Amino acid sequence: MFIGFDYGTANCSVARMQGTEPELIAVEGDSLYIPSTLAAPTRDSVSEHLFRHRQIKPLDTLGEQLLRRSVAANRDEDIDLQPDDLVFGQAALDLYLSDPHEVYYVKSPKSFLGAMGLHDIQLRFFEDLVCAMMDNIKRQAEMRSEAEIRDAVIGRPVNFHGRGGQDSNRQAEEILRRAAKRAGFGSVEFQFEPVAAGLEYEATLNEDKTVLVVDIGGGTTDCSLIQMGPTWRGKADRTESLIAHSGQRVGGNDLDIHLTFKQLMAPFGYGSQTQSGLEMPITQFWNPIAINDVSAQSKFFARENLADLKRLHKEAREPEKLARLLAVYHDTLGYSLVKKGEEVKIALSEQASVTAQLKVLAEQLEIEVQRDAMIEAIEAPKSKMIELVSEAVQQGGVTPDAIFMTGGSARSPILRAGVEQVLPTVPVVSGNYFGSVTAGLARWAQVCFA
């Protein structure tokens, strides 16, 4: 059996073809989507788990070196790794939220795959993370479909997170390919996520059209200007139908991070001063919640940063706020803060204001956030997303007949209104915000493997 595999920043999903139509397969209980998360007793548990409990070996000597390090570290910590010690999806998030201090938790590893300047051993660790998640999803889908999955078309953004341009893209795609091969996939192909979403929309067309696909995912926003319709449907070579692409590493996670930073970090000391009247350093409030930035996370949670945080606590005019920031450090609360920001963002799509409740130390904090304040907080990433729409149209030199919006963040009325302002005379349509990419990948898998 072959599948389309959307290994997403926020969620993952897979689909197979049933006759002429794609069918998403449940991958977490009865859910068709599984959050892109993993939890384990320690960081070193991932590599050992793959080898010991899944019989998945490293591909090269660097991978073997990482495995030996991991086994030794777990032995030193007296950790006897059990088969169910690696947890995925919503269960991983629940475990992390129940006791952040006692679990190694990763959200959206796809965001890190294009990061430049990483050591080879770090790249192998990311490969292990992705492999563990893919292996879990593949097993769940096989159990539900009662069939072995051999081949897959995996979606990829136009540009991955990373400042290396095509070097970042090649690195990220290579990690995904190696991880998929180790997880048991035979043939692996890739397709741009907005193109895949466009293929799903194309199946509904009775006439040829030029369509701008706007895919706003968790980690990236991608726009593809595509000729589609009956003339193109089912063709293995779509090169001539792809008019223009634009993409950038800005997505729903960035909206959540900016909202969290501007509206939820004041109780932790953002905007406060030292006793001498100096402003607290902004990076100490940005870095812990920049969950899609490896460098920022490393700097904040580095052992040497603890001394800086203690010094700021001692010098603060409002030391109780910096005590909460110290709790963010000790209990690795960055992910839970951004999760709260995401909840606020979603609520403000329908409400004029919402009260966010945060539990830190022994306190229950309540922070009221207005919709206008939320709109102002997310202006920077929103503007980048909208610029990509203009960029794709300018590159293509043609006005689309329709705009097809997909991706979880495309549900936002604020983003939809921004797109409509760029092309006010072009109708905006949408399908399954979460499943269009996956369904389109399954359609392309049929072209590749059937």
Side-chain angles (χ1 to χ4, degrees), residues 303-315:
R303 188 172 301 174
E304 53 268 26
N305 191 45
L306 179 57
D308 291 337
L309 292 174
K310 288 180 176 178
R311 176 180 55 79
L312 291 174
H313 178 234
K314 185 176 181 180
E315 296 174 354

Side-chain angles (χ1 to χ4, degrees), residues 271-281 315 317:
S272 65
Q273 297 179 336
T274 65
Q275 294 176 19
S276 60
L278 296 176
E279 294 287 333
M280 288 290 172
E315 296 174 354
R317 282 185 178 175

Side-chain angles (χ1 to χ4, degrees), residues 67-214:
L67 175 59
R68 287 194 297 271
R69 286 186 186 181
S70 299
V71 172
N74 286 329
R75 186 180 297 118
D76 289 343
E77 294 291 327
D78 198 26
I79 294 174
D80 182 17
L81 198 62
Q82 300 300 308
D84 58 355
D85 279 350
L86 241 64
V87 185
F88 304 91
Q90 186 61 45
L93 176 59
D94 293 342
L95 182 61
Y96 163 71
L97 293 176
S98 68
D99 195 354
H101 190 61
E102 294 299 323
V103 67
Y104 174 75
Y105 177 76
V106 178
K107 181 180 186 293
S108 309
K110 184 179 178 182
S111 299
F112 307 148
L113 304 186
M116 292 284 94
L118 299 174
H119 297 300
D120 287 341
I121 203 77
Q122 292 175 296
L123 296 178
R124 294 300 180 272
F125 176 66
F126 287 158
E127 180 187 311
D128 281 354
L129 282 175
V130 176
C131 180
M133 295 172 69
M134 286 185 168
D135 172 66
N136 173 66
I137 292 168
K138 183 173 182 288
R139 284 187 290 122
Q140 297 301 321
E142 287 177 336
M143 285 191 293
R144 183 55 66 106
S145 60
E146 298 183 340
E148 180 186 8
I149 298 171
R150 285 291 304 158
D151 307 317
V153 170
I154 300 174
R156 55 151 290 184
V158 174
N159 289 305
F160 284 88
H161 276 260
R163 296 181 174 87
Q166 288 306 311
D167 287 339
S168 288
N169 290 334
R170 281 189 289 270
Q171 174 180 288
E173 191 171 291
E174 180 64 11
I175 292 173
L176 289 172
R177 186 184 301 277
R178 288 169 60 97
K181 289 287 189 177
R182 291 175 65 199
F185 292 101
S187 297
V188 175
E189 300 291 339
F190 290 91
Q191 180 58 274
F192 287 136
E193 290 158 356
V195 173
L199 294 175
E200 180 62 7
Y201 178 57
E202 182 180 61
T204 69
L205 297 179
N206 296 318
E207 59 181 358
D208 289 351
K209 289 186 177 183
T210 300
V211 178
L212 177 65
V213 180
V214 181

Side-chain angles (χ1 to χ4, degrees), residues 415-445:
L415 298 181
R416 191 183 184 98
V419 171
E420 290 172 339
Q421 286 179 351
V422 175
L423 296 166
T425 62
V426 181
V428 178
V429 297
S430 58
N432 183 334
Y433 287 111
F434 292 101
S436 293
V437 170
T438 317
L441 291 171
R443 291 184 185 277
W444 192 248

